[in-house]
Amino acid sequence: SSDLTPMGLPRPKRLKKTEFSLEEIYTNKNYKSPPAARCLETIFEEPKEKNGALVAVSQQKRKRVLEFQDFTIPRKRKAKGKVKVVGSFTRGRRGTIEGSELDALLIQKLMDLEIFLAEEEGREPICGQIGR
């Protein structure tokens, strides 16, 4: 095997190993980030027609940059302003339930659920002991 590709470019150096430890995978020592000033062409979603031919790639190359935050620095928490509670638009103010009513409704629903589950399992409901 020659050290050059069919196009005459140097072949990338690859490790001969087939088994890698987790540490070797996560601390990939031979990783090189791409050069900073790399220019790429634009690939069009739909080909454009130019002089009777369909063109899928732009002629000029532009710098493409994606910046990621440094994950080692803790992120700043966004200051939370006053949260405005927006109710359902379908029901008017009449449909709202007060906190104590809501608690009573929740207890009733939980008791109904307990009775249902007890009947399914063929045992006495535990909710008879609730509130004693």
Side-chain angles (χ1 to χ4, degrees):
S1 70
S2 74
D3 292 337
L4 299 176
T5 64
M7 287 182 67
L9 300 169
R11 286 193 190 275
K13 290 175 178 61
R14 301 208 188 278
L15 298 172
K16 300 282 188 266
K17 287 169 62 170
T18 54
E19 294 282 318
F20 295 93
S21 72
L22 272 179
E23 188 179 351
E24 288 171 315
I25 292 168
Y26 280 100
T27 59
N28 189 355
K29 301 277 195 295
N30 58 2
Y31 173 78
K32 292 186 195 81
S33 54
R38 189 179 193 179
C39 294
L40 301 167
E41 58 273 312
T42 304
I43 301 171
F44 305 125
E45 283 189 32
E46 293 184 24
K48 296 181 179 180
E49 195 173 331
K50 213 173 205 181
N51 302 332
L54 288 176
V55 180
V57 181
S58 68
Q59 289 295 305
Q60 69 269 49
K61 292 187 175 188
R62 295 206 169 109
K63 280 188 184 177
R64 308 286 183 197
V65 179
L66 276 181
E67 287 190 18
F68 295 96
Q69 290 178 326
D70 184 357
F71 66 91
T72 58
I73 301 165
R75 292 185 304 182
K76 291 186 183 115
R77 295 263 181 244
K78 285 184 182 170
K80 288 184 180 152
K82 287 183 179 137
V83 179
K84 190 176 181 185
V85 178
V86 179
S88 170
F89 294 112
T90 54
R91 300 193 315 202
R93 294 293 297 159
R94 293 172 302 157
T96 58
I97 303 172
E98 295 303 313
S100 58
E101 285 182 60
L102 206 56
D103 288 346
L105 183 64
L106 176 62
I107 290 167
Q108 184 59 52
K109 294 278 184 194
L110 288 171
M111 285 170 62
D112 293 346
L113 178 62
E114 170 56 33
I115 292 165
F116 172 76
L117 292 173
E119 287 171 356
E120 291 259 307
E121 296 170 10
R123 62 173 167 82
E124 282 296 309
I126 299 169
C127 63
Q129 289 110 26
I130 296 176
R132 281 191 186 159

